[in-house]
């Protein structure tokens, strides 16, 4: 059986951070399992976060109106993308699992990691209108978010001041990872580690190491497949899906809530 390859896309400025410790724990545990581990340390790489004309070589197809998606797709097809993007493409092709490791900034990923998503998940390479969601380019790969928060878990509850973490996660887990076809594993959330004692932080790391032993075999979160939506009617849910869901007290997902209560833990636990 061929060794699995794991890509860790890592965004923290300090090697002394808890995020660095989480990343290092993953590298160590996965290597001990025989995995090939690749790390894209975005700050160390000084990875460019902005999606601009400099991402292609040679003249753009339409110099008067630079349309990033179209121009980079053409450049990808013709081998004219900048080397920092193509280097990441090579890692993504090899990867069976991608772990995004970061501190949560403004309920999302840091700008440098968002730039990685904007630039590396190139139109054509990572998705097309025909190849997305359950039919996506990366449907044979897994991906997950692993991150720290500044706020306690109670603050990200359905009645907490920050709101439900399941809602916070939807744009990235559905709109980026699931959109590109990844099987999305439940996130690894480290709640407010800066507020904890060194012993408690070590306990969080031990929990992460334990999870890493079975991570590659975990079942992914549930998202509705493309074929339950009617393309001829603007990709609306098909009537038979509505009817099947009518008996449930909950919607399908956080995003496809059907004006019902959100299914509990939908973006945080598999099999719910």
């Amino acid at each position: 059986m061929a060794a699995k390859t794991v890509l860790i896309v890592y965004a923290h400025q300090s090697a002394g951070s808890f995020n660095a410790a989480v990343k290092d724990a993953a590298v160590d545990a996965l290597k001990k399992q025989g995995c090939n581990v690749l790390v894209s340390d975005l700050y160390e790489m000084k990875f460019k976060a902005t999606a601009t004309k400099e991402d292609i070589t040679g003249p753009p197809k339409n110099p008067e109106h630079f349309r990033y998606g179209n121009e980079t797709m053409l450049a990808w097809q013709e081998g004219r993308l900048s080397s920092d993007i193509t280097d990441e493409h090579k890692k993504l092709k090899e990867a069976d699992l991608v772990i995004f490791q970061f501190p949560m900034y403004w309920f999302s990923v840091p700008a440098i990691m968002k730039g990685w998503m904007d630039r590396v998940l190139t139109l054509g390479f990572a998705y097309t209108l025909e190849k997305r969601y359950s039919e996506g380019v990366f449907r044979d790969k897994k991906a997950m978010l692993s991150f720290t928060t500044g706020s306690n878990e109670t603050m990200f509850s359905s009645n907490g001041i920050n709101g439900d973490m399941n809602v916070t996660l939807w744009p990235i887990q559905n709109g980026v990872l699931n959109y590109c076809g990844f099987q999305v594993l439940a996130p690894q959330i480290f709640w407010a580690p800066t507020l904890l004692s060194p012993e408690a932080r070590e306990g969080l790391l031990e929990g992460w190491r334990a999870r890493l032993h079975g991570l590659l075999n975990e079942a992914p979160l549930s998202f509705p497949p493309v074929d339950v939506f009617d393309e001829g009617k603007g990709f609306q849910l098909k009537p038979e899906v509505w009817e099947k869901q009518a008996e449930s007290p909950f919607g399908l997902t956080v995003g496809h809530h059907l004006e019902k209560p959100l299914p509990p833990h939908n973006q945080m636990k598999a099999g719910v």
Side-chain angles (χ1 to χ4, degrees):
M1 185 176 172
K4 298 287 188 179
T5 297
V6 180
L7 169 61
I8 301 175
V9 183
Y10 167 68
H12 200 288
Q13 306 90 333
S14 173
S17 66
F18 186 75
N19 268 273
V22 174
K23 179 259 297 177
D24 292 342
V27 171
D28 182 59
L30 292 165
K31 282 185 175 179
K32 284 179 179 174
Q33 294 178 46
C35 295
N36 300 314
V37 183
L38 310 171
V39 178
S40 290
D41 185 339
L42 301 183
Y43 285 105
E44 183 68 24
M45 295 159 61
K46 295 182 170 56
F47 191 82
K48 175 175 165 286
T50 52
T52 66
K53 283 186 244 188
E54 287 70 40
D55 292 350
I56 66 172
T57 58
K61 183 178 180 182
N62 184 350
E64 294 179 6
H65 176 37
F66 184 78
R67 298 174 65 190
Y68 188 82
N70 291 357
E71 294 284 0
T72 51
M73 179 175 68
L74 188 62
W76 168 68
Q77 291 169 339
E78 297 176 352
R80 295 188 294 108
L81 282 173
S82 61
S83 61
D84 61 340
I85 295 176
T86 57
D87 287 347
E88 297 305 297
H89 280 186
K90 289 172 189 171
K91 296 174 193 175
L92 257 181
K93 282 181 183 175
E94 291 180 39
D96 298 289
L97 167 66
V98 184
I99 300 173
F100 293 91
Q101 181 63 54
F102 60 96
M104 179 171 272
Y105 279 17
W106 295 113
F107 291 23
S108 187
V109 297
I112 199 167
M113 183 172 281
K114 181 58 164 58
W116 188 97
M117 294 173 175
D118 289 347
R119 299 177 66 233
V120 176
L121 300 178
T122 312
L123 177 59
F125 169 77
Y127 71 97
T128 67
L129 293 181
E130 296 76 32
K131 294 181 179 180
R132 53 184 173 166
Y133 293 118
S134 59
E135 303 297 324
V137 173
F138 299 138
R139 59 189 177 275
D140 295 325
K141 301 178 185 291
K142 294 180 177 180
M144 67 173 292
L145 306 180
S146 174
F147 62 94
T148 58
T149 67
S151 300
N152 288 315
E153 184 174 5
T154 54
M155 296 169 70
F156 275 108
S157 62
S158 59
N159 64 338
I161 192 169
N162 291 344
D164 190 340
M165 178 60 86
N166 289 278
V167 176
T168 301
L169 291 169
W170 179 258
I172 302 173
Q173 292 190 161
N174 179 67
V176 179
L177 304 183
N178 182 45
Y179 191 93
C180 291
F182 286 109
Q183 300 170 50
V184 186
L185 300 184
Q188 182 73 22
I189 307 175
F190 300 93
W191 303 101
T194 57
L195 304 179
L196 301 177
S197 67
E199 294 77 19
R201 287 197 293 272
E202 183 55 38
L204 293 181
L205 291 174
E206 282 302 315
W208 176 226
R209 292 185 188 105
R211 183 182 178 190
L212 285 160
H213 283 299
L215 190 64
L216 286 156
N217 295 317
E218 282 188 10
L221 299 174
S222 178
F223 295 91
V226 168
D227 62 11
V228 303
F229 299 93
D230 190 337
E231 183 177 358
K233 294 185 178 178
F235 288 100
Q236 295 284 293
L237 271 177
K238 292 178 179 176
E240 57 266 32
V241 181
W242 267 98
E243 290 165 14
K244 185 178 178 182
Q245 198 67 20
E247 298 174 11
S248 172
F250 303 110
L252 272 175
T253 66
V254 166
H256 314 99
H257 51 72
L258 312 181
E259 300 181 8
K260 292 183 176 188
L262 303 185
H265 313 300
N266 176 252
Q267 290 300 295
M268 295 173 69
K269 292 182 182 179
V272 296

